[in-house]
Amino acid sequence: MPRTKGDHEARRRDVSEAVWRVLAAHGFGGLTLRAVAAELDATTGLLTHYFPAKRDLVAHALDLLERRTAARPRRPAGKGMSAVRAVLLDVLPLTAEATDSNRIWVSSWDTALADPALSGEYARKYAQSRDKLRDLVAAAQQLGELPAGDPARIAAGAQSFVLGLVVQALFDPSAFPPHHQVELLDDYLATLTSSPSSSGDDVAPS
Amino acid sequence: MPRTKGDHEARRRDVSEAVWRVLAAHGFGGLTLRAVAAELDATTGLLTHYFPAKRDLVAHALDLLERRTAARPRRPAGKGMSAVRAVLLDVLPLTAEATDSNRIWVSSWDTALADPALSGEYARKYAQSRDKLRDLVAAAQQLGELPAGDPARIAAGAQSFVLGLVVQALFDPSAFPPHHQVELLDDYLATLTSSPSSSGDDVAPS
């Protein structure tokens, strides 16, 4: 019986699922045709049809990471500080799915830092996140929920905070269970909202 | 002429230097006997004498990272907030050497997360850093330089902040030049020292 287009797409999805599971368990360092074949209970021969070379497999993995991140469920954002908080919570490994995805992101940093083009892409991606966060910070300032101060600097700080929290939680999930991650983020947001130093220096109209 | 013990040690140092340069340029994902041999202008045959298997090379690289980090120059710590600040500044990629070292640390996370034993070691290492930081935070609180509040939570937050700042600075050095990293850290420390929320809720003697 000839294969249909549906069969073909189902098989592609199975391959992508297997790549994702290998990444979640072994990271980019453990991403090989052999590991994906084993996960899929298939031959490496079959996989070379999809990925003629190792770099095709890595490219697919990066693309998958990008697409899954874009498609992940997000909290309703609200406005002001509630939107800032929602966007930052969306980054943290608070569920099994978010933990896999974060673990794969952190693992991809080795690959990305070694490749100038990819490294530049990552830099742009993080800059976009900071810009989005900066706009939310500025909106929270306009609502009077955050003291004045350069919103880009506040955004860069907040992004640093959550990225580092991700790394610590991945290595030490028992020291950073979800409720503690949320507590630490809320501590951080509380210092931002109540800081008189930024409101002190920067309240002059500009 | 027979090789002396000195020759042997000098050669070992050359090998370690070559491993370090390969890591700084290509990360753990690019660490191969062939890459180290090329860096050393030697044959891979010579290197198998030092590293019979790939995992011996990785183990040496991790050991090197550990030893170089332990031996790195540190700022005089002072006391109170000045000690907290010095320890956090010591983490950041503010010099070329610290950038290489941080880049290799971040790259090692992929390897570490894929290996439960190594991952446990990393968790202990980060827990130790947080404990050290917690003691410095508690000392700053006793000097009245920081408001009251759980010093372990403040330390976990501060460690998150610097780790995430490291990652962003590595990907985007032009957006995070050294002076800006220091500025962002100082913003963060300023919100900590001036936060009425932690001093408000927790000032009751306990």
Side-chain angles (χ1 to χ4, degrees), chain A residues 25-30 103 106-115 118-120 122-124 126-127 130 152-168 170-172 175-176 180 183-184 187-188 190-192 194-198, chain B residues 25-30 103 106-115 118-120 122-124 126-127 130 152-168 170-172 175-176 180 183-184 187-188 190-192 194-198:
Chain A
H26 309 293
F28 277 81
R103 187 246 182 279
V106 170
S107 153
S108 78
W109 291 342
D110 184 26
T111 304
L113 285 168
D115 177 332
L118 191 55
S119 191
Y122 270 53
R124 278 190 295 282
Y126 288 119
R130 288 194 304 274
R153 261 163 80 161
I154 296 173
Q159 179 140 303
S160 296
F161 188 87
V162 290
L163 284 179
L165 187 48
V166 165
V167 172
Q168 297 201 81
L170 288 179
F171 276 111
D172 206 343
F176 294 89
H180 188 47
E183 245 170 27
L184 290 171
D187 283 356
Y188 177 71
T191 61
L192 285 187
S194 64
S195 166
S197 70
S198 33
Chain B
H26 309 292
F28 276 81
R103 188 248 182 277
V106 170
S107 153
S108 79
W109 291 342
D110 185 27
T111 305
L113 285 169
D115 177 332
L118 191 55
S119 190
Y122 270 53
R124 279 189 294 281
Y126 287 119
R130 288 194 302 273
R153 261 163 80 160
I154 296 173
Q159 179 139 305
S160 296
F161 188 87
V162 290
L163 284 179
L165 186 49
V166 164
V167 171
Q168 296 201 82
L170 288 179
F171 276 110
D172 206 342
F176 294 90
H180 188 47
E183 246 171 25
L184 290 172
D187 283 355
Y188 176 71
T191 61
L192 284 187
S194 63
S195 167
S197 70
S198 34

Side-chain angles (χ1 to χ4, degrees), chain B residues 45-170:
Chain B
L46 175 101
L47 282 172
T48 55
H49 170 71
Y50 295 94
F51 312 115
K54 173 72 189 281
R55 71 169 170 281
D56 301 308
L57 177 58
V58 172
H60 179 74
L62 289 167
D63 182 52
L64 199 58
L65 180 55
E66 183 76 35
R67 281 187 288 122
R68 293 216 172 186
T69 301
R72 77 186 193 277
R74 290 169 202 260
R75 285 161 183 78
K79 57 180 190 163
M81 278 309 282
S82 139
V84 171
R85 183 173 184 268
V87 161
L88 296 173
L89 283 173
D90 278 342
V91 175
L92 298 177
L94 302 175
T95 63
E97 293 73 31
T99 302
D100 280 355
S101 170
N102 270 299
R103 188 248 182 277
I104 298 171
W105 271 114
V106 170
S107 153
S108 79
W109 291 342
D110 185 27
T111 305
L113 285 169
D115 177 332
L118 191 55
S119 190
E121 241 178 74
Y122 270 53
R124 279 189 294 281
K125 225 187 296 270
Y126 287 119
Q128 277 168 8
S129 304
R130 288 194 302 273
D131 287 351
K132 185 181 168 192
L133 202 47
R134 177 202 58 204
D135 294 346
L136 296 176
V137 163
Q141 288 174 322
Q142 289 199 321
L143 288 170
E145 293 181 354
L146 266 183
D150 182 350
R153 261 163 80 160
I154 296 173
Q159 179 139 305
S160 296
F161 188 87
V162 290
L163 284 179
L165 186 49
V166 164
V167 171
Q168 296 201 82
L170 288 179

Side-chain angles (χ1 to χ4, degrees), chain A:
Chain A
M1 216 169 68
R3 293 279 191 87
T4 65
K5 189 153 172 264
D7 286 343
H8 184 68
E9 275 167 14
R11 172 54 82 161
R12 285 196 77 86
R13 268 199 305 277
D14 290 347
V15 170
S16 289
E17 280 297 333
V19 168
W20 189 256
R21 287 194 301 272
V22 168
L23 287 171
H26 309 293
F28 277 81
L31 181 66
T32 59
L33 285 181
R34 193 188 299 188
V36 178
E39 186 66 40
L40 202 58
D41 211 3
T43 61
T44 53
L46 175 101
L47 282 171
T48 55
H49 170 70
Y50 295 95
F51 312 116
K54 173 72 188 280
R55 72 170 169 280
D56 301 307
L57 177 58
V58 172
H60 178 73
L62 290 167
D63 182 51
L64 199 58
L65 180 54
E66 182 75 35
R67 281 187 289 122
R68 292 216 173 187
T69 301
R72 77 187 193 276
R74 290 168 202 260
R75 286 161 184 77
K79 56 180 192 164
M81 278 309 281
S82 139
V84 171
R85 183 172 185 267
V87 161
L88 297 173
L89 283 174
D90 279 343
V91 175
L92 298 178
L94 301 177
T95 63
E97 294 72 32
T99 303
D100 280 356
S101 170
N102 270 298
R103 187 246 182 279
I104 298 171
W105 270 115
V106 170
S107 153
S108 78
W109 291 342
D110 184 26
T111 304
L113 285 168
D115 177 332
L118 191 55
S119 191
E121 242 178 75
Y122 270 53
R124 278 190 295 282
K125 225 186 296 270
Y126 288 119
Q128 277 170 8
S129 304
R130 288 194 304 274
D131 287 351
K132 184 182 169 190
L133 202 47
R134 177 203 59 205
D135 294 345
L136 296 176
V137 164
Q141 289 174 323
Q142 289 198 321
L143 288 171
E145 295 181 351
L146 267 182
D150 182 349
R153 261 163 80 161
I154 296 173
Q159 179 140 303
S160 296
F161 188 87
V162 290
L163 284 179
L165 187 48
V166 165
V167 172
Q168 297 201 81
L170 288 179
F171 276 111
D172 206 343
S174 64
F176 294 89
H179 77 269
H180 188 47
Q181 295 179 48
V182 175
E183 245 170 27
L184 290 171
L185 176 62
D186 283 335
D187 283 356
Y188 177 71
L189 295 176
T191 61
L192 285 187
T193 50
S194 64
S195 166
S197 70
S198 33
S199 64
D201 297 336
D202 302 288
V203 282
S206 60

